[in-house]
């Protein structure tokens, strides 16, 4: 929601700028402001005081750099390059390598100004866990981690901005952006593993890290399991040890799934015993009960936050967090939960984000397949309208898994980090570059249906598999018959008129909408009061009205997200 913004005049002196940032929520920690002001460039950062010394802000005669988020391996790089402070380190590695940031690990993004050559570079981390946007015209170049602040700056500079109808239809179907889209046609995203460099004449965008560069390995299953385990422990240690040195408390998510379980229990095995376990779901659902059983067994302190329908009412708050980049109901439950965390010493929220995908859940078979047009959509009601946009996106990929990662994963699922970062930093050891790269190099025959994941679990951590895996309704197994049996049994139990942890789901939005008149009244009023206020154009507006009136709760929230985002950005 905050971070940094840079405005560069390409033709002389910048006019006076007063950047407009979103107000902090009352539950957020204190933030500070830092500025760099020159005649032709203005940089400003609004960032949490947590880990302040680890967010780079270095200004000298040779260069300027600002980073947002955490670079967790600075100490290791200091040793590797035999230097004793970060300023000398950055000067050395930036002189030796234009893409010096490829050596960083962590949840980071940054801006680098090479003063000697008058070159500017912005960079996102390898898996796009931070947001980064850019605008380019003949007169100005803007980079920002916050789309709202960039949008307001365009207005201040009298620069044109228009609604991108393609992006609007992506939001109404996929529920998230694809490729480099934002809802502002003139503003694009800098994606996972991507950087943009201005050399004085043109702006070049390139990938310094891409899944296309990962080759399939020839390791045996035994070697694969050994390497996975060692690299995962290294990844967990990297983020937990970094936090420990700063005297913060780790907040670790735990649900009924495997990914958060792997993070929490591996950290516990590595002697990070001060974790506060964080669980949120509808009261009595499997996610709560499984997490509590695990926490009790391993003597982990757990905080459960029961979810209610009230998260669905936080339309404007949630869209302010995600800038309309994804459906608001996708993270409204996280927002409802995170604002109830009162512990001020939380440093990093540790997750299992995208763990299942890294280990095979995005595969539809053991061979490469082209993605299907409707893959992963929240709604197919407007499929005909979005089909040419999706086809254009699909044509960039020869592999359905890569398509899913760079769109659903990095541009959709990763938005879950945005809520967590309201109160702390965030991470996932599955996205640690070394682990991520090795896991994606494992042959598909091992990763399909997450078989290697289960084999790793049962071989190295058999006690972790003593608890139900929410995804299948039974203990983790590669036995196809048992998986089918567990799922069938759960489906039957859901339909029986008995109390069960399988009733509903983690956040049963349709049931909340159906059973709470307050929800229906609030959403309907929001729609009615706003749909006529803004110029969506006749075709898009008609589609929004029909989708809201005829759609389910998910489709209604897709429409409301677009309305709220337009109100925020235009």
């Amino acid at each position: 929601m905050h971070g940094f913004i840079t405005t560069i005049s390409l033709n002389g002196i910048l006019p006076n700028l007063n950047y407009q940032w979103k107000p902090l929520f009352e539950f957020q920690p204190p933030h500070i402001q830092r500025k760099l002001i020159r005649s032709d460039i203005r940089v400003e950062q609004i960032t949490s005081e947590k880990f302040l010394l680890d967010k780079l802000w270095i200004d000298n005669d040779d260069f300027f750099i600002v980073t947002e988020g955490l670079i967790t391996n600075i100490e290791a790089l200091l040793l590797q390059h035999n230097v004793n402070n970060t300023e000398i380190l950055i000067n050395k590695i930036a002189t030796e390598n234009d893409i010096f940031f490829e050596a960083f690990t962590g949840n980071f993004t940054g801006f680098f100004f090479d003063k000697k050559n008058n070159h500017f570079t912005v960079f996102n981390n390898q898996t796009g866990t931070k947001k980064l946007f850019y605008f380019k015209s003949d007169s100005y170049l803007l980079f920002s981690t916050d789309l709202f602040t960039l949008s307001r700056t365009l207005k201040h500079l009298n620069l044109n901005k228009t609604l991108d109808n393609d992006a609007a239809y992506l939001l109404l179907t996929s529920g998230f952006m694809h490729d480099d889209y934002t809802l502002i046609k003139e503003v694009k995203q800098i994606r996972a593993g991507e950087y943009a460099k201005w050399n004085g004449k043109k702006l070049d965008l390139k990938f310094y890290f891409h899944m296309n560069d990962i080759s399939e390995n020839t390791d045996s299953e035994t070697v694969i399991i050994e390497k996975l385990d060692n690299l995962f422990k290294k990844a967990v240690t990297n983020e937990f040890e970094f936090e420990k040195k700063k005297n913060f408390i780790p907040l670790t998510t735990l649900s009924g799934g495997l990914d958060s379980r792997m993070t929490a229990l591996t950290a516990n095995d590595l002697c990070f015993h001060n974790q506060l376990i964080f669980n949120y779901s509808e009261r009595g659902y499997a996610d709560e009960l499984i997490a509590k059983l695990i926490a009790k067994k391993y003597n982990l302190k757990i905080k459960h936050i029961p979810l209610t329908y009230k998260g669905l009412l936080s339309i404007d708050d949630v869209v302010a967090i995600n800038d309309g980049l994804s459906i608001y109901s996708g993270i409204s439950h996280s927002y409802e939960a995170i604002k109830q965390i009162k512990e001020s010493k939380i440093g990093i929220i540790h997750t299992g984000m995208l763990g299942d995908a890294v280990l095979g859940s995005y595969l539809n078979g053991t061979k490469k397949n082209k993605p299907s047009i409707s893959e992963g959509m929240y709604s197919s009601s407007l499929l005909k309208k979005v089909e040419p946009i999706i086809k254009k996106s699909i044509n960039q990929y020869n592999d359905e898994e890569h398509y899913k990662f760079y769109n659903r994963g990095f541009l959709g699922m990763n938005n879950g980090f945005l809520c967590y970062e309201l109160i702390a930093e965030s991470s996932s050891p599955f996205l640690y570059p070394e682990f991520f790269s090795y896991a994606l190099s494992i042959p598909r025959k091992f990763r399909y249906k997450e078989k290697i994941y289960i084999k790793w679990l049962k071989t190295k951590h058999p006690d972790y598999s003593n608890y139900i895996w929410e995804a299948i309704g039974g203990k983790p197994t590669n036995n196809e018959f048992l998986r089918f049996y567990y799922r069938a049994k759960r489906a039957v139990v859901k339909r029986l008129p008995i109390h069960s942890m399988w009733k509903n789901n983690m956040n049963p939005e349709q049931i909340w909408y159906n059973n709470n008149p307050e929800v229906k009244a609030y959403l309907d009023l929001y729609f009615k009061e706003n749909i006529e206020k803004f110029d969506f154009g006749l075709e898009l507006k008609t589609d929004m009205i029909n989708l809201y009136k005829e759609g389910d709760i998910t489709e209604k929230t897709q429409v409301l997200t677009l309305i709220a985002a337009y109100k925020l950005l235009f």
Side-chain angles (χ1 to χ4, degrees):
M1 222 173 93
H2 294 93
F4 65 81
I5 181 168
T6 298
T7 303
I8 301 162
S9 172
L10 301 178
N11 298 321
I13 297 174
L14 267 177
N16 289 329
L17 280 178
N18 289 307
Y19 291 127
Q20 185 178 347
W21 297 89
K22 299 161 187 166
L24 295 175
F25 294 110
E26 61 180 17
F27 59 85
Q28 288 188 260
H31 281 48
I32 63 102
Q33 182 184 60
R34 303 194 277 201
K35 298 180 181 181
L36 172 73
I37 301 174
R38 291 165 46 115
S39 62
D40 60 344
I41 179 173
R42 181 180 180 114
V43 184
E44 187 168 293
Q45 182 180 37
I46 301 288
T47 191
S48 170
E49 291 181 355
K50 292 184 178 182
F51 296 105
L52 184 59
L53 296 178
D54 300 293
K55 299 168 189 174
L56 303 184
W57 182 279
I58 302 171
D59 183 22
N60 59 36
D61 291 339
D62 296 321
F63 69 87
F64 167 79
I65 187 170
V66 56
T67 60
E68 183 64 23
L70 300 180
I71 302 168
T72 56
N73 65 331
I74 288 291
E75 285 191 9
L77 290 173
L78 289 170
L79 289 172
Q80 178 185 333
H81 291 274
N82 195 29
V83 294
N84 58 16
N85 70 61
T86 305
E87 184 172 347
I88 296 173
L89 172 69
I90 299 299
N91 187 61
K92 182 176 186 293
I93 62 177
T95 301
E96 295 172 348
N97 182 7
D98 281 349
I99 51 172
F100 61 92
F101 37 84
E102 68 179 347
F104 295 161
T105 63
N107 184 5
F108 63 87
T109 188
F111 168 76
F112 180 77
F113 173 21
D114 175 355
K115 295 181 181 180
K116 291 180 178 179
N117 297 301
N118 204 37
H119 292 174
F120 306 98
T121 306
V122 286
F123 48 91
N124 208 339
N125 65 68
Q126 294 88 341
T127 51
T129 53
K130 290 285 188 186
K131 297 301 175 187
L132 187 58
F133 311 96
Y134 74 95
F135 167 91
K136 166 73 172 62
S137 72
D138 291 339
S139 301
Y140 296 103
L141 190 56
L142 286 84
F143 305 110
S144 181
T145 56
D146 188 89
L147 188 57
F148 166 83
T149 302
L150 194 157
S151 173
R152 285 296 184 268
T153 307
L154 293 180
K155 183 178 181 181
H156 185 90
L157 295 170
N158 295 314
L159 294 167
N160 188 50
K161 59 179 179 178
T162 52
L163 176 67
D164 191 317
N165 268 31
D166 287 355
Y169 276 107
L170 285 171
L171 189 58
L172 296 176
T173 51
S174 291
F176 50 84
M177 297 296 107
H178 285 229
D179 305 322
D180 62 355
Y181 279 101
T182 77
L183 288 171
I184 302 174
K185 194 169 187 176
E186 296 77 13
V187 178
K188 302 301 180 184
Q189 296 194 59
I190 295 174
R191 297 164 289 176
E194 193 173 29
Y195 69 100
K197 182 174 181 177
W198 173 257
N199 65 6
K201 295 181 179 179
K202 65 176 181 176
L203 185 70
D204 287 325
L205 280 90
K206 296 180 180 179
F207 287 98
Y208 69 92
F209 180 92
H210 199 283
M211 288 174 62
N212 284 341
D213 299 324
I214 300 173
S215 301
E216 190 172 282
N217 71 51
T218 57
D219 292 341
S220 68
E221 186 176 73
T222 301
V223 170
I224 288 170
I225 289 170
E226 194 67 33
K227 286 186 177 180
L228 278 177
D229 200 54
N230 290 335
L231 287 172
F232 193 74
K233 288 175 180 176
K234 182 179 178 180
V236 170
T237 300
N238 177 266
E239 58 188 60
F240 277 84
E241 188 63 35
F242 181 90
E243 179 180 43
K244 183 179 179 181
K245 289 178 180 178
K246 314 297 178 180
N247 297 313
F248 284 110
I249 296 171
L251 183 67
T252 309
T253 59
L254 184 62
S255 64
L258 294 187
D259 305 336
S260 59
R261 184 184 311 184
M262 285 298 298
T263 300
L265 297 187
T266 300
N268 187 63
D269 286 348
L270 293 170
C271 298
F272 297 102
H273 297 313
N274 65 331
Q275 296 178 83
L276 174 59
I277 299 299
F278 178 39
N279 169 265
Y280 52 99
S281 72
E282 187 181 47
R283 191 181 296 278
Y285 182 63
D287 268 320
E288 175 195 359
L289 301 182
I290 296 168
K292 284 183 173 178
L293 281 173
I294 294 171
K296 183 178 180 181
K297 168 65 177 178
Y298 291 91
N299 197 29
L300 300 171
K301 183 180 179 182
I302 185 169
K303 180 176 181 63
H304 169 72
I305 295 177
L307 296 179
T308 69
Y309 66 85
K310 292 183 179 178
L312 284 173
L313 309 183
S314 303
I315 304 169
D316 289 329
D317 282 355
V318 176
V319 172
I321 296 166
N322 73 9
D323 285 316
L325 295 170
S326 61
I327 179 174
Y328 91 86
S329 58
I331 60 171
S332 59
H333 57 292
S334 297
Y335 173 70
E336 182 189 358
I338 209 71
K339 65 184 181 180
Q340 297 180 57
I341 297 293
K342 305 301 182 186
E343 174 56 66
S344 63
K345 287 295 291 180
I346 297 299
I348 298 175
I349 300 180
H350 304 268
T351 74
M353 186 71 77
L354 289 176
D356 58 341
V358 173
L359 289 162
S361 71
Y362 280 173
L363 296 176
N364 282 333
T366 58
K367 296 182 179 179
K368 287 186 179 182
N369 297 298
K370 288 285 285 186
S372 67
I373 289 176
S374 60
E375 189 76 54
M377 283 188 176
Y378 279 94
S379 170
S380 59
S381 297
L382 295 170
L383 180 60
K384 291 294 183 183
K385 297 288 179 72
V386 84
E387 192 169 344
I389 309 165
I390 300 291
K391 281 184 176 179
K392 182 181 176 183
S393 179
I394 285 175
N395 286 338
Q396 300 177 55
Y397 302 90
N398 293 318
D399 184 342
E400 62 169 342
E401 185 178 39
H402 290 193
Y403 170 77
K404 291 176 184 176
F405 263 108
Y406 281 95
N407 292 289
R408 188 198 307 179
F410 298 153
L411 297 177
M413 295 296 294
N414 273 356
N415 284 321
F417 285 122
L418 296 173
C419 280
Y420 296 155
E421 289 168 1
L422 294 174
I423 65 166
E425 294 297 332
S426 60
S427 65
S428 169
F430 292 96
L431 299 180
Y432 181 73
E434 197 174 357
F435 180 87
F436 181 85
S437 296
Y438 183 74
L440 269 295
S441 77
I442 297 170
R444 291 165 180 258
K445 65 180 181 181
F446 293 127
R447 288 192 298 121
Y448 181 51
K449 294 188 177 180
E450 301 167 83
K451 290 178 181 177
I452 197 66
Y453 196 173
I454 306 305
K455 197 72 178 287
W456 168 33
L457 187 73
K458 287 184 168 292
T459 302
K460 291 293 187 177
H461 308 280
D463 52 318
Y464 297 5
S465 62
N466 288 332
Y467 303 91
I468 290 173
W469 180 14
E470 190 269 346
I472 66 171
K475 293 182 180 180
T477 178
N478 278 327
N479 185 303
E480 290 294 330
F481 174 78
L482 279 178
R483 285 194 180 197
F484 175 80
Y485 168 73
Y486 289 147
R487 289 190 171 109
K489 180 181 177 182
R490 182 178 59 178
V492 170
V493 170
K494 277 179 174 283
R495 289 166 172 75
L496 294 175
I498 59 172
H499 178 74
S500 165
M501 70 175 182
W502 297 117
K503 288 292 181 184
N504 304 332
N505 55 41
M506 177 184 172
N507 50 320
E509 294 153 354
Q510 189 66 55
I511 292 172
W512 289 337
Y513 179 81
N514 293 342
N515 295 345
N516 293 278
E518 179 186 350
V519 176
K520 186 178 188 306
Y522 185 89
L523 301 192
D524 287 353
L525 181 62
Y526 190 98
F527 175 78
K528 183 179 179 181
E529 287 184 342
N530 289 287
I531 188 63
E532 300 295 340
K533 284 184 180 179
F534 309 114
D535 182 17
F536 290 107
L538 181 60
E539 182 180 1
L540 176 59
K541 181 179 175 181
T542 300
D543 287 335
M544 291 169 68
I545 291 171
N546 291 336
L547 189 63
Y548 186 85
K549 288 183 176 179
E550 299 170 12
D552 60 19
I553 182 59
T554 299
E555 291 169 317
K556 292 180 192 299
T557 60
Q558 286 175 279
V559 174
L560 296 178
T561 303
L562 181 52
I563 292 173
Y566 194 99
K567 182 166 62 169
L568 178 76
L569 300 172
F570 293 95

